[in-house]
């Protein structure tokens, strides 16, 4: 069986170092808001090229707390519109609605599945106050154009970088383009903890302080509460795991890029549409997503051949029960994507032979 993502083998590579880091935390007697977290925050901010990094409990909180902080700072208010591509993972949308802001779902670029600045421009109204740009599957949204559009209309830009640690455009990394960025370190992400974890990066010091306070009961100083905050902190033990894994991230991305290159060269079946990427982008291939009109048949053949595949994602947010009041909204491009995409195995440890077998099965398939 070729698993979709072999998390066990990924973490096994660093087993000794992870155990040493765990031991260090256990023996320190300090488990929340200590040296591991502050060191990781500094290291990850440096990695992204951002001034500040604030560790939080998960990626959803990173997005939710950033929008919440902008509300506390008077930059957003209830009902303000946030432009967001419709074909995202539900967390992006939840962060908006949790803050009583209004998601304005737009169709993505048909080639990259990312936010299209021209389509976004047409969705701007006097109530538009922010753009949530998602770097889907590891490829960055066109940030230079998005930032120019935002500047023109005085909009805030939040990057959802949960799938794109280390991705860049013109050597400038995700997490350093928008006014802030939310990262997830869910175990299956390109930089994964051994449990839930997340972070925000930003160059805005006031925003950084506000998010830090909001995630710590609204307190910036022990027993003094500025806001009605929540408890969303990065644990020392997860920060210690992430510090080990951050050291190998560049290497792991390199392996993903090599695998992607094999797929892009090797899969020649005309019934399978390969992912599109431009030369300016440093794509980190969180997912390798192909498109086909006959997904079930391709997935079935791969399954029979012992190859696990997944669909990211089968149901778009506007078709979810959670947002039943949007069900009338017609977003044909988004719906087409959700009906046709299939994610092939990719990861930092998948052997070349496995990739070759997957390519062979893909090329032998007739719809
Ligand atoms: C994983 C993910 C999130 C949420 O991260 P969690 O850590 O699971 O809360 C948000 N947005 C996108 C695009 C994701 O892939």
């Amino acid at each position: 069986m070729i698993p979709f993502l072999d998390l066990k083998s990924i973490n096994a590579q660093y087993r000794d170092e992870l155990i040493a880091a765990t031991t260090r935390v256990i023996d320190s007697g300090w488990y929340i808001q200590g040296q591991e977290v502050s060191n990781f925050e500094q290291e990850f901010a440096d990695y992204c090229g951002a001034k500040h990094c604030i560790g939080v409990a998960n990626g959803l909180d990173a997005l939710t707390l950033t929008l919440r902080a902008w509300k506390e700072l008077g930059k957003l208010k209830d009902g303000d519109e946030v432009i967001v591509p419709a074909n995202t993972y539900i967390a992006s949308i939840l962060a908006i609605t949790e803050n009583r802001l209004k998601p304005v779902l737009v169709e993505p670029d048909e080639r990259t599945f990312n936010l299209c600045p021209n389509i976004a421009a047409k969705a701007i109204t006097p109530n538009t106050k922010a753009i949530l740009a998602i770097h889907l599957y590891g490829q960055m949204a066109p940030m230079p154009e998005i930032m120019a559009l935002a500047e023109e209309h005085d909009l805030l830009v939040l990057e959802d970088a949960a799938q794109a640690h280390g991705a860049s455009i013109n050597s400038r990394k995700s997490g350093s383009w928008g006014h802030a960025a939310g990262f997830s370190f869910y175990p299956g992400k390109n930089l994964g903890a051994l449990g839930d974890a997340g972070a925000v990066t930003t160059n805005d010091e006031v925003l950084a302080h506000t998010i830090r306070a909001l995630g710590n009961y609204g307190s910036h100083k022990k027993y003094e509460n500025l806001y009605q905050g929540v408890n969303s902190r990065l644990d020392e033990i997860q920060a210690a795991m992430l510090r080990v894994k951050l050291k190998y991230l560049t290497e792991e991305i390199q392996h993903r890029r090599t695998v992607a290159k094999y797929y892009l060269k090797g899969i020649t079946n005309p019934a399978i549409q390969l992912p599109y990427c431009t030369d300016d982008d440093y794509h980190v291939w969180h997912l390798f997503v192909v498109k086909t009109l006959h997904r079930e048949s391709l997935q079935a053949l791969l399954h029979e051949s012992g190859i696990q595949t997944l669909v990211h994602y089968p149901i778009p947010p506007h078709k979810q029960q959670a947002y039943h009041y949007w069900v009338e909204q017609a977003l044909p491009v988004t719906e087409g994507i959700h009906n046709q995409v299939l994610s092939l195995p990719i990861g930092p440890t998948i052997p070349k032979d496995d990739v070759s077998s997957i390519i062979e099965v893909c090329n032998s398939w007739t719809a």
Side-chain angles (χ1 to χ4, degrees), residues 159-171:
E159 296 172 65
D160 181 340
Q163 303 189 355
H165 323 72
S168 63
I169 294 178
N170 299 328
S171 305

Side-chain angles (χ1 to χ4, degrees), residues 13 53 55 79 99 123 145 154 164-165 167 181 194 197 212 218 260 296 303 311 318 342 355 361:
Q13 302 174 98
C53 170
N99 277 294
E145 293 82 2
D154 199 19
H165 323 72
L194 275 69
R212 199 177 287 290
E296 278 63 38
H303 177 76
V311 173
H318 71 285
L342 185 68
V355 179
V361 174

Side-chain angles (χ1 to χ4, degrees), residues 53-301:
C53 170
I54 309 99
V56 294
N58 55 63
L60 173 58
D61 282 1
L63 301 171
T64 307
L65 290 175
T66 304
L67 294 171
R68 169 87 193 271
W70 279 331
K71 288 185 83 183
E72 297 292 350
L73 293 169
K75 297 191 173 188
L76 292 176
K77 59 176 190 318
D78 282 12
D80 281 350
E81 293 175 5
V82 181
I83 292 173
V84 60
N87 60 313
T88 182
Y89 180 56
I90 192 112
S92 321
I93 311 293
L94 291 172
I96 299 171
T97 54
E98 172 71 19
N99 277 294
R100 298 182 303 278
L101 301 163
K102 186 178 172 216
V104 174
L105 307 178
V106 293
E107 296 274 38
D109 183 312
E110 291 194 48
R111 294 170 312 170
T112 62
F113 307 168
N114 270 329
L115 187 68
C116 168
N118 294 332
I119 298 173
K122 291 197 190 97
I124 294 174
T125 75
N127 295 326
T128 307
K129 292 289 149 31
I131 295 175
L132 180 46
I134 294 123
H135 307 316
L136 201 66
Y137 305 151
Q139 173 158 251
M140 291 203 40
M143 292 311 291
E145 293 82 2
I146 291 169
M147 295 314 292
L149 180 70
E151 200 158 310
E152 190 187 329
H153 296 273
D154 199 19
L155 308 177
L156 295 162
V157 177
L158 175 56
E159 296 172 65
D160 181 340
Q163 303 189 355
H165 323 72
S168 63
I169 294 178
N170 299 328
S171 305
R172 184 167 159 193
K173 285 202 179 84
S174 68
S176 73
W177 283 90
H179 300 106
F183 286 89
S184 165
F185 308 118
Y186 176 80
K189 298 287 157 85
N190 280 19
L191 177 59
L194 275 69
D196 274 315
V200 178
T201 57
T202 180
N203 289 329
D204 181 340
E205 188 171 0
V206 176
L207 180 69
H209 281 306
T210 309
I211 292 167
R212 199 177 287 290
L214 282 171
N216 189 33
Y217 311 110
S219 167
H220 64 306
K221 200 170 160 193
K222 204 163 182 155
Y223 303 126
E224 288 183 27
N225 299 75
L226 278 174
Y227 312 106
Q228 296 170 19
V230 297
N231 179 349
S232 179
R233 299 180 297 219
L234 175 60
D235 289 337
E236 283 287 283
I237 200 129
Q238 294 305 342
M241 302 297 100
L242 289 165
R243 291 183 71 200
V244 171
K245 294 189 70 181
L246 180 58
K247 290 192 291 180
Y248 302 101
L249 181 57
T250 304
E251 225 171 280
E252 291 202 349
I253 291 171
Q254 209 47 59
H255 187 88
R256 286 176 181 273
R257 285 172 60 85
T258 305
V259 172
K261 235 180 246 163
Y262 290 149
Y263 278 140
L264 289 170
K265 257 186 96 175
I267 300 175
T268 52
N269 189 332
I272 299 174
Q273 192 183 322
L274 294 167
Y276 174 90
C277 50
T278 64
D279 282 346
D280 309 339
D281 304 331
Y282 193 77
H283 196 322
V284 295
W285 298 103
H286 173 57
L287 298 171
F288 190 93
V289 179
V290 299
K291 228 171 109 179
T292 165
L293 293 169
H294 310 280
R295 174 172 69 203
E296 278 63 38
S297 145
L298 176 59
Q299 187 166 33
L301 178 66

